[in-house]
Amino acid sequence: MRRVNKDEKSRISLTLNGRKMAAEAEPRMLLSDFLRHSLGATGTHVGCEHGVCGCCTVQIDGTAVRSCLTLAMQAEGRDVKTVESLAGPNGRLNTLQQAFQKHHALQCGFCTPGILMSFTDFLSRNPKPTEEELREVLSGHICRCTGYAGIMAALKEAVGIS
Amino acid sequence: MSKRLGTRVVRKEDPALLSGRGRYADDLPVPAGTLHAHVIRSPHPHADIVSIDATAALAMEGVWAVITGVDIKKISDPFLVALKSPIHQWSLAVDRVRFAGEPVALVVAENRYLAEDAAEAVAIEYTPREAAIDPVEACKKSSPLLHAEAKTNEISVRTFRYGDTKCAFETADKVIKLTVDFHRLSFTPMECFVAVASHNPADDSYDCMANFQGPFSTHPVMARALRVPGPKMRLRIPPDSGGSFGIKLSVFPYVVLTALAAKITGRTVKWVEDRAEHLLAASTGPNRVTEIEAAVTKDGKILGLRMDQLEDYGAFLRAPMPGPLYRMHGAITGGYDIANIDVTNRVVLTNKMPASLIRGFGGPQLYLALERMVQRIAIELGLEHLDVIRRNLVQPEKFPYRAAAGGLYDSGDYPRAVETAVGDGRLDYLKKRRDEAREAGRKYGIGFAVVVEPAMSNMGYLSTLLTPETREKAGPKNGATSMVTVNVDPLGAVSVTADVTVQGQGHETVLSQIVADRLGLQPGDIDVTLEMDTAKDQWSIAAGTYSCRFTPGTAVAAHMAAGQLADKLKRIAAKQLNVMAADVELADGKIRSISNPDNALPFGRVAGTSHWSPVMLPDGMVPALSETGVWNPPELEPPSSDDRINTSLTYGFVFDMCGIEIDPVTYQVKVDRYTSMHDAGKILNPLIADGQMRGAFAQGIACALYEEFVTNEEGAFLTGTFADYLVPTVSEVPPVEMLHIESPSPFTPLGAKGLAEGNCMSVPACIANAIADALGVKDVRLPATPRRIHALMASNGGVR
Amino acid sequence: MKPRPFDYARPDTIDEAVALLAERGDEARILAGGQSLMAMMNLRLADPSMLIDIARIAELGHIRDLGDTIEVGAAVTQNRLLAWPDLTAKLPLLAAALPFVGHFQTRNKGTVCGSIAHADPSSEIPLSLATLEGSVVLRSTGGERVVAAKDFQIDMMTTARRGDEMITAVRFPVHTGRGVAFREVARRHGDFAIIAIAAVIEGKDFAQIGIGGMAGKPLVQRIVMKELKSEIEALATGFEDYEDLHASAALRRDILRNLAPLVLAEAQACAA
């Protein structure tokens, strides 16, 4: 059994975007803060810290979750992926990212990393979703800039819905 | 070579933002040892602060300071306000709190978690006072007073008379009256406020970083509060911002607060607002009660209007308030040719969150009243709503058109815009849908809204708030200077800086299009850096991104700067090419003779001449390839002695039409079909323009149907999380058909107008009109929630 | 919005977990998915002195077909149950209700039992469990007990679970007939329901109806289909006023009057 007292910092290690990393943290450290401020992965954004907006969505063992509702301790030893993992090593955007650019699916870009991480998970399980299913998954995110039209257009193109 | 301006160039900003490589305020590095702040906020809407005991908090390991109003009053001054009224606001409450959520103390600790723990250990004793919540009640003598020295909560009243309104009302066939309430809401950017500050005691200077959006007229307000000259308050704005929509002006009190905390602790202090704080206390659009009366002929011609606008700014007047009450002033007659209008503008303070900048900025409030009135005129006269609109529109031959209150509408063809939108069977379809629905016993309504969309504010409009005599003494205020600098390096690489703040509008891309076209290059050749540094960048009081100033303002300055540079390069090249400068063009990455295109030099080679070989420059030419374009259009004049003011440089046009149905099971208003016609002059980048309009449309839907800051009668704030304050998701935003016609503005060299606010203004009015049509009711309050619709139906003949 | 400090424990077995509960009692909270608990902790509306993270306890990760019931372990996420191949055949009501639970992203982590433990009055899973007359399996160091759904949820966010107990599983009765329907009305897609209605057709003449969002806990009633209109009217008027920011009591009653016949009709159509 892993057990840590409240004011005790312990070393939390996990695999972030394929690299094993570790840092010290109290048990209450949120995964969103741990990724951003302890591990330096600032691509994951914090928008509401109560699980509604979806900006902080990352993948743990391939599953998209809210990192603001997850303790760093819960990700210990797990495989965590963030938006920084998506582009190729030369910075080449993947299909989904390219579709977002083409269809102007982002403006300020603050919500975008979470949306990309949600759909990277969802599309890996459902490569040929309906428009309705895309909409349902997207409804787990708030975007204030776009009105969602560009995002839907990008998603539809990425999955081959014309 | 084909021009890139006007084409769907994809955004230069996107690859970084899509890869997690954005540089937002909370991402930027801070010095080792930076302390983190947490704000303790008032739980009361109105109370006296009896005592603050921080002993237990200060005893906690890692807690550096608990700063109170008493502390900051010693080392700072209250914020300047636009109105000469004894209202004193510091960055922390002094002696008294005036809204639930008002900052009372600042805890500074080694990390945010600890700061929040320490905040719970601070004991604050309050004596609650009765709160003034309702704006109409707050104006009464019996109301509790917010600021005793002001002697009233109604701190500004001004009446304006244009034409002969009295005569219009006397000769009218009918006078129609309506009261319209506009609610409080915010567009809650996904990134909350961030402020970081350090203080250098050696010269008492501050170095601040914040996701501030401008206008930079607020910079002197901050510097004055800190008791330093402007250059000693360096403000840096990060390269990326997670949205603003007007809201991030209101980070400024926290810039001052963190700066003071840095001075007190001797450390860099960082504060990141959380969502609960943001919803409770960041900023809101003002609520407004409008009493509107129209004098009409029986065929629907509006002879005159009377408007009484009571706007509620909450607990304090925050610079540059009361902007929303005056920003639309010159265009207060909207898209209609109405010669006679009397307007009374009243500013009231209440025990609620201070109101401030928000996308639309006074437009949604104005048009809800005006457009609801036009629909009422149709109902009361037994006419078609659309016919009343047609009868009153400003006619195309009248442009440039001087509106009654002074707006100089630059261009447009309003009737053509309207007829195009209703044509192609669009209106017929809605009527068919309405007939079918009503036949089946369902509630279906059609709404219209007409909006004139101002862009690039005349910075002098706020002085209309003052009487002509006071203005005379203070000196004329006008203008709205835009500045952009274009540099060329020794190898011909082009870089651009501009006086805007980034919020996601794609300015980097559009500036690169403008500059590339002028220099004969590709947008990819142009590097645009838009992080701002008040110590090193060009800026004026008008700098920042707000009120659609980019397209008619900054974009023009970029066009000018690049043009100046192109002229210089032509003259340099002319000497080397052995031709006249008039025969030189910049195209395809070359500088060449127009008459003999083979006589050409690479762009970079000519650029290098200025850097390396000033000796080769034409006689008298100053070296250096750095040009700043400065744009200050002559049409933006100060208010006249009879209170007429051209409030903005360009005026676009929006006409909306929609069909809505009340869901018979849930009472939710469902948008069946929505069409929005825009005339924004020349479109600089259709891809980005479309994104701006669709974003504004979604915010219009949010305002009409979902979002509201709710404060109960006692002053308790009820919408403190995203579970209560309902931001629409993709499931709640209906499709919209966007249409365009183009009437280029004659007042800007690019012919382009603003377009990013129109739908924030039109959608609430259009949907309210459709609801009024569906239910046959007069009073429609927004947001039209199922709860409100159900109550309306219950009081209007039954719900089922 | 950062949680207060707490001790963290990640036991490997149920025995270790209940031993911690015996030690810390009410001050400790079970952390499974954390989709409600962590939000409340970030808002400092909940402050357990210890979180017992049970997500990795292998013996809680099962979806087990016990014949007349399906047992879902406390570590099973909502999306895992939704993806269970036998769901539509064995638990068609859950197949209809689960898509309404939060969003894809929260269902990825939120657990079935966590939703039962949280006992929000408008939640879909407690409503489904109550409508199906399922039960909750509780364990303490003193042993195991099984509590019927109707006895488990007492009121808004209040249950019969003792401080030293944890939910190890819930049991949903298998409903092989296809006559079920589930619908809800919320302000936005994925929000807590203003009102949620579950219906299960029982034979030709009866239906079991479950209503969430109208009171502190789900109301379940067997109704006679022939008397549908009057039965629903009686239900609508029978509720005490239950009001919040988004819905007045009158609105709730009218939505119930409008929606219940539709849900029952859908369930009937589905049965046919």
Side-chain angles (χ1 to χ4, degrees), chain B residues 290-292 305-309 332 341-344 366 369:
Chain B
T290 307
E291 306 274 354
I292 181 168
L305 286 175
R306 284 189 184 131
M307 291 173 77
D308 181 307
Q309 307 187 105
I332 198 159
I341 176 165
D342 289 355
V343 186
T344 298
L366 169 67

Side-chain angles (χ1 to χ4, degrees), chain B residues 415-628:
Chain B
R416 181 160 78 92
V418 170
E419 300 313 324
T420 308
V422 301
D424 283 341
R426 287 187 195 88
L427 181 56
D428 292 341
Y429 173 85
L430 290 186
K431 286 181 169 168
K432 182 166 154 278
R433 295 280 290 172
R434 179 168 68 181
D435 291 346
E436 286 167 1
R438 289 185 175 174
E439 189 75 18
R442 303 196 312 267
K443 306 283 187 191
Y444 192 105
I446 298 173
F448 305 98
V450 168
V451 155
V452 167
E453 179 179 3
M456 191 181 179
S457 291
N458 181 345
M459 295 307 276
Y461 76 74
L462 202 53
S463 64
T464 319
L465 166 76
L466 309 170
T467 61
E469 299 73 48
T470 315
R471 287 201 302 266
E472 179 86 7
K473 278 183 220 144
K477 293 205 167 51
N478 73 309
T481 307
S482 295
M483 289 187 273
V484 171
T485 301
V486 182
N487 291 295
V488 184
D489 86 351
L491 298 176
V494 180
S495 61
V496 179
T497 61
D499 65 355
V500 286
T501 55
V502 170
Q503 300 155 21
Q505 292 94 336
H507 295 159
E508 190 182 331
T509 302
V510 177
L511 289 173
S512 73
Q513 290 175 264
I514 292 168
V515 173
D517 277 3
R518 293 286 259 183
L519 299 182
L521 301 171
Q522 291 293 322
D525 301 330
I526 315 295
D527 275 295
V528 182
T529 302
L530 296 179
E531 55 191 287
M532 264 290 254
D533 182 341
T534 56
K536 293 167 73 81
D537 288 314
Q538 68 286 325
W539 61 276
S540 79
I541 54 155
T545 301
Y546 59 91
S547 293
C548 286
R549 74 179 280 271
F550 176 77
T551 302
T554 305
V556 176
H559 179 77
M560 291 168 69
Q564 291 159 212
L565 201 59
D567 286 345
K568 196 163 185 176
L569 288 164
K570 283 179 195 172
R571 288 173 55 212
I572 297 169
K575 191 171 167 191
Q576 297 178 35
L577 294 169
N578 231 347
V579 296
M580 301 298 286
D583 184 38
V584 179
E585 66 173 1
L586 283 71
D588 299 331
K590 292 191 172 66
I591 302 181
R592 67 192 181 197
S593 159
I594 298 169
S595 54
N596 176 17
D598 290 340
N599 185 14
L601 289 163
F603 182 89
R605 178 105 157 263
V606 181
T609 302
S610 174
H611 283 273
W612 291 107
S613 321
V615 65
M616 290 174 67
L617 296 178
D619 287 347
M621 179 182 276
V622 178
L625 290 178
S626 177
E627 289 289 328
T628 297

